[in-house]
């Protein structure tokens, strides 16, 4: 994870990806369901994917401009046989909260990951799974040539490196800090990509 930490944190600092904790948590638009709830819903549908990667895929889909309609799951999973998500269900709440958090002007966007009491290896693995899911969902929604700024393009490349990283089983306080910094980098990189593909597109439409 040290390799992933070095690359992600250096990229974060180089590109100015900083949001203070007070800004981040000033007003979270919607709360995500718990990882356990999402895991249970995924198992019930036989998705073969865990909560972090599914949330990453959904967030990549939203950041790339994908529609958050009731058929989002079949689109994100590229499986037309999957049913529409039932209103009020765990996965519907996941969609609703994720979409609302992307729109939150107080940067109240969060990643669905294990809590701080989980082992370091579990948490780092889930974060890398989130990145892997994000890349897949983003590619499906944004296509091969999305309108990205140089910074967003580099951020997407950094997410791809993190998606290929290998978690470590244990670590010390420095490793804990490294994981927190990587998570913040991933969170803000996702917001940056959403800004280019979704918010930027809205802005362009207003002037056309």
């Amino acid at each position: 994870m040290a390799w992933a930490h070095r690359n992600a944190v250096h990229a974060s600092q180089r590109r100015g990806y900083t949001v203070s904790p007070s800004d981040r948590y000033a007003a979270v638009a919607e709360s995500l369901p718990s990882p356990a709830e999402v895991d249970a819903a995924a198992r019930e549908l036989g998705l073969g994917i865990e909560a972090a990667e599914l949330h990453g895929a959904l967030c990549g889909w939203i950041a790339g401009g994908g529609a958050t309609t009731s058929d989002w799951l079949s689109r994100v999973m590229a499986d037309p046989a999957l049913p529409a998500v039932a209103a009020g269900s765990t996965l519907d709440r996941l969609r609703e909260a994720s979409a609302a958090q992307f729109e939150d002007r107080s940067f109240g966007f969060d990643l669905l990951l294990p809590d701080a009491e989980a082992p370091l290896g579990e948490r780092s693995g889930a974060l890398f799974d989130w990145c892997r899911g994000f890349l897949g969902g983003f590619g499906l929604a944004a296509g091969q040539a999305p309108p990205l700024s140089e910074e967003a393009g580099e951020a997407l490349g950094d997410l791809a490196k993190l998606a290929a990283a290998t978690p470590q089983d244990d670590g010390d306080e420095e490793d804990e800090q490294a994981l927190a910094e990587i998570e913040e980098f991933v969170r803000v990189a996702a917001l940056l990509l959403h800004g280019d593909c979704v918010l930027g597109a809205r802005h362009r439409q207003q002037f056309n």
Side-chain angles (χ1 to χ4, degrees):
M1 191 174 68
W3 170 85
H5 166 237
R6 259 195 326 271
N7 283 276
V9 173
H10 289 174
S12 175
Q13 294 169 343
R14 186 170 65 249
R15 293 167 201 151
Y17 296 171
T18 55
V19 178
S20 72
S22 60
D23 286 340
R24 178 178 175 183
Y25 295 109
V28 176
E30 296 284 348
S31 295
L32 298 168
S34 70
E37 290 178 287
V38 176
D39 277 334
R43 285 195 301 270
E44 185 176 344
L45 291 171
L47 298 183
I49 187 173
E50 295 190 355
E53 189 169 354
L54 180 57
H55 184 239
L58 170 60
C59 289
W61 173 259
I62 295 172
T68 54
T69 48
S70 62
D71 63 345
W72 70 264
L73 184 62
S74 63
R75 292 173 177 268
V76 165
M77 298 297 294
D79 183 356
L82 287 172
V85 172
S89 66
T90 296
L91 295 185
D92 188 51
R93 290 191 291 118
L94 183 70
R95 172 203 60 79
E96 185 176 47
S98 300
Q101 288 187 6
F102 267 118
E103 300 289 339
D104 183 6
R105 294 188 178 185
S106 297
F107 305 103
F109 173 70
D110 214 348
L111 314 180
L112 189 67
L113 300 172
D115 62 33
E117 283 68 42
L120 181 69
E122 179 182 341
R123 286 181 283 128
S124 58
L127 179 58
F128 300 151
D129 286 346
W130 195 98
C131 293
R132 187 159 48 249
F134 184 93
L135 291 174
F138 185 82
L140 287 170
Q144 294 185 344
L148 299 182
S149 63
E150 181 179 353
E151 291 81 5
E154 291 177 348
L156 189 63
D158 290 331
L159 290 176
K161 292 175 182 177
L162 288 169
T166 301
Q168 65 185 58
D169 293 331
D170 53 21
D172 54 20
E173 185 176 344
E174 183 177 348
D175 292 309
E176 291 285 350
Q177 180 62 29
L179 183 60
E181 291 174 344
I182 297 172
E183 181 180 340
E184 180 66 3
F185 168 79
V186 170
R187 192 184 70 83
V188 182
L191 289 172
L192 177 62
L193 289 160
H194 178 261
D196 274 15
C197 292
V198 178
L199 303 184
R202 287 182 200 163
H203 183 72
R204 289 190 294 271
Q205 288 173 358
Q206 290 175 354
F207 290 92
N208 289 335

